[in-house]
Amino acid sequence: MDIEALDRLAEERVDHRFKGLPPDAAGLTVGELTAERRNLFTGGFTTPLLALSAERLEHNLALMETYATRHGLAFAPHGKTSMAPQLFRRQLDRGAWGITLALPHQLRVARAFGFGRLFLANELVDPAALRWIAAELAADPDFRLICYVDSVPGVELMATALEGAPRPLDVVVELAAGEGARTGVRTEAECAAVADAVAATGTLRLAGVAGYEGEVPGADPERVRGYLRRLVALAADFDKAGRFTGLDEIVVSAGGSAWFDAVADVFAEIPELSVPVLKLLRSGAYVSHDDGHYREVTPFNRVPEEGALEPAFRLWAQVVSRPSPEQAFANAGKRDAAHDLDLPFPQVVRRDGAEHPATGISVPALSDQHTWLRTTPEADLRVGDWLGLGLSHPCTTFDKWPLIPLAEADGTVVDYIRTFF
């Protein structure tokens, strides 16, 4: 981790690139604006405006650190959720083993800020990206990258592109979550063939096995645990066959944000292998959580004694039109809010410094730049009001906001989170 590179984020100038920020802050550095500790509601911010709760973010970071420790799991949270190096740093400060990513661009962002342990939960066969990885391995002997493989042709393409690399790239065989799932090898016999192909190269090293239980067709506790037990059995079979000879540890990795309780349970059953096992969990949406999809499917709903994540995002929009008693429009839309799974959820109305519940207000649709609001007779909503909206699915929220105010409960902005998509 390059602290100086992270600190340089505070030197970036605030300007028209960053929506929602105060127009009179143009020309200030992010650090200078942070030092002013402006208030979201009185400090000149414009709507729409996305804010991240400082208290809830800290709660979620602490909760997952405790959870991973309690269950003996290493943690490499999926950074593609936020693509925010400042949050990567806070996750590492909270004990994370490293950061998970999905694309070459995301790797480049992480490396630009000096992050040294990365897990690429995806196949990678792009020669240009692989040549860049070879250069990174050559330039930094401490850099470690682990990457998926799921086919013999993919292994061959990788091996060719990595020729000349000073040391082999660690790879894990991805076991598919079942027929009709996403990527991954469909059968254990095919997994063995992919592992043999890796062993035949001089540029790749088999480091373990991995998968994503969130893609199990018709996912339920029984099916998910059944898939995870197949993954564990594959690791044991590979070890018995001597495929991990020479390793200091064997990587067994899974874990989205919907079934990490199943991952913890099944990984606790991993038998003793020839060397220690790195039980690597990769859940990432927890960092901000949400008011929709993940709030419904979080494992903490199934095991409430473990704690509870808290939604940390709120999108503030302003009511700009009230054409009838049954309808209103606010000035946030698809450019501002996640909408691929669920629409935003009206939570509070703010007027003259006071807030009241958004009773009788719902969102039936989004346009590009408008939130459609349906209102019942009990709705207290006027043109000019600020409407606080809860959001679903953080993975498509962070990417819409390149600089996000981190605000305390009273609205005081204590930092700005830079994203890179």
Side-chain angles (χ1 to χ4, degrees):
M1 184 165 51
D2 187 340
I3 302 300
E4 292 183 0
L6 287 162
D7 289 345
R8 283 195 294 272
L9 289 173
E11 299 171 8
E12 193 167 14
R13 295 286 172 183
V14 175
D15 57 24
H16 59 277
R17 293 170 297 163
F18 306 124
K19 59 184 179 179
L21 298 194
D24 67 350
L28 296 177
T29 66
V30 172
E32 289 167 343
L33 181 58
T34 303
E36 292 185 357
R37 294 178 64 85
R38 296 198 187 195
N39 188 279
L40 281 178
F41 309 110
T42 61
F45 292 86
T46 64
T47 56
L49 176 65
L50 181 72
L52 187 62
S53 164
E55 295 89 351
R56 292 185 171 199
L57 171 65
E58 179 60 26
H59 168 84
N60 293 343
L61 291 168
L63 181 63
M64 285 302 290
E65 177 190 23
T66 300
Y67 183 88
T69 300
R70 181 185 302 127
H71 291 280
L73 300 169
F75 192 32
H78 217 313
K80 61 93 177 173
T81 300
S82 70
M83 285 307 298
Q86 292 152 286
L87 297 184
F88 296 174
R89 176 183 182 176
R90 293 183 68 160
Q91 289 168 315
L92 291 179
D93 288 345
R94 284 291 188 174
W97 172 92
I99 299 296
T100 296
L101 299 162
L103 296 172
H105 156 70
Q106 296 169 0
L107 291 177
R108 292 185 63 200
V109 171
R111 290 299 292 158
F113 291 90
F115 293 98
R117 284 202 291 210
L118 304 175
F119 188 103
L120 190 72
N122 205 349
E123 283 69 30
L124 177 58
V125 296
D126 184 323
L130 288 161
R131 288 193 295 269
W132 171 79
I133 287 170
E136 290 292 298
L137 292 170
D140 183 357
D142 294 324
F143 173 44
R144 186 180 187 193
L145 172 64
I146 301 172
C147 180
Y148 275 5
V149 290
D150 80 343
S151 70
V152 172
V155 167
E156 292 170 347
L157 288 168
M158 293 180 73
T160 299
L162 288 167
E163 286 180 2
R167 53 194 171 96
L169 172 64
D170 282 347
V171 296
V172 288
V173 173
E174 182 194 8
L175 177 67
E179 289 300 325
R182 204 167 56 187
T183 54
V185 187
R186 265 35 185 182
T187 69
E188 281 75 1
E190 291 172 299
C191 286
V194 173
D196 287 340
V198 170
T201 74
T203 53
L204 301 174
R205 181 177 73 158
L206 184 65
V209 300
Y212 175 49
E213 74 291 340
E215 287 294 322
V216 171
D220 60 26
E222 182 179 358
R223 288 187 179 95
V224 168
R225 283 174 169 80
Y227 163 68
L228 291 168
R229 291 190 175 102
R230 282 184 63 203
L231 185 66
V232 167
L234 180 65
D237 288 346
F238 275 12
D239 189 46
K240 185 177 180 180
R243 298 187 187 278
F244 298 133
T245 300
L247 295 183
D248 295 326
E249 65 181 8
I250 297 166
V251 177
V252 181
S253 180
S257 296
W259 294 100
F260 57 77
D261 57 330
V263 175
D265 291 345
V266 175
F267 279 15
E269 302 169 2
I270 294 177
E272 184 175 348
L273 302 183
S274 59
V275 293
V277 176
L278 183 71
K279 303 173 184 179
L280 196 60
L281 180 69
R282 305 192 309 269
S283 311
Y286 82 98
V287 69
S288 63
H289 200 43
D290 64 21
D291 282 290
H293 176 71
Y294 285 117
R295 189 169 192 169
E296 295 301 319
V297 303
T298 176
F300 292 125
N301 290 341
R302 294 187 291 270
V303 281
E305 64 272 15
E306 296 271 19
L309 294 168
E310 298 179 353
F313 272 143
R314 179 165 283 175
L315 177 64
W316 290 99
Q318 195 164 24
V319 178
V320 294
S321 180
R322 191 82 160 96
S324 75
E326 296 80 29
Q327 193 175 45
F329 292 87
N331 65 344
K334 293 179 180 178
R335 303 290 184 265
D336 312 300
H339 56 86
D340 52 326
L341 292 180
D342 295 296
L343 296 173
F345 306 88
Q347 294 177 325
V348 296
V349 175
R350 186 176 181 89
R351 181 190 307 146
D352 298 328
E355 294 181 5
H356 63 263
T359 304
I361 306 171
S362 60
V363 176
L366 290 180
S367 297
D368 285 354
Q369 305 295 171
H370 288 93
T371 303
W372 294 60
L373 301 172
R374 182 181 294 122
T375 54
T376 60
E378 66 265 36
D380 180 9
L381 193 66
R382 305 175 192 173
V383 170
D385 288 347
W386 280 38
L387 180 64
L389 298 161
L391 299 177
S392 169
H393 203 48
C395 296
T396 50
T397 296
F398 278 101
D399 62 345
K400 303 179 191 310
W401 294 86
L403 197 61
I404 303 171
L406 182 68
E408 294 179 338
D410 66 357
T412 301
V413 179
V414 295
D415 203 355
Y416 294 83
I417 304 300
R418 185 71 160 95
T419 66
F420 293 86
F421 283 93

